[in-house]
Amino acid sequence: SSGINAEYGAAPPGMQPPPSAAAARQPIKGSGVPHKILFLQNLPQETTEMMLTMLFEQFPGFKETRLVPGRHDIAFVEFNSDTEAAQAKTALNHFKITPTNAMQITFANK
């Protein structure tokens, strides 16, 4: 009966994913270091380059929007400077493009 006591309180086998599976599901991390390119995540399937351009071109220093081929959920938006990109990031982070998709914005990795 000591085997039962030793296991008491532990999660049953199969209830917790192995660490490698959990790590694989982690979102791609952008950077906290200011950069003139913003990395957008959690975009809805219907996102277009034009939609993102219209959203971001209202900010000074906007240069271009780049969607990632084969991925509807991520994109990059480039500004002329780190400071201008930071202003757009502050204003639009968690902006809901659709009622269910709040956009995640981080700085792209340098």
Side-chain angles (χ1 to χ4, degrees), residues 40-69:
L40 281 46
Q41 296 179 89
N42 198 39
L43 300 174
Q45 183 114 27
E46 60 271 24
T47 303
T48 65
E49 213 164 286
M50 182 183 276
M51 286 167 65
L52 293 175
T53 297
M54 288 174 67
L55 199 55
F56 284 91
E57 71 183 357
Q58 61 187 309
F59 294 93
F62 172 81
K63 274 179 78 173
E64 70 169 332
T65 303
R66 292 193 297 276
L67 296 180
V68 177

Side-chain angles (χ1 to χ4, degrees), residues 23-30 41:
R25 280 199 305 272
Q26 291 301 312
I28 301 166
K29 291 269 190 274
Q41 296 179 89

Side-chain angles (χ1 to χ4, degrees), residues 84-98:
E84 290 165 329
Q87 289 172 342
K89 175 184 179 292
T90 300
L92 292 175
N93 196 17
H94 305 298
F95 176 85
K96 287 193 171 183
I97 293 185
T98 66

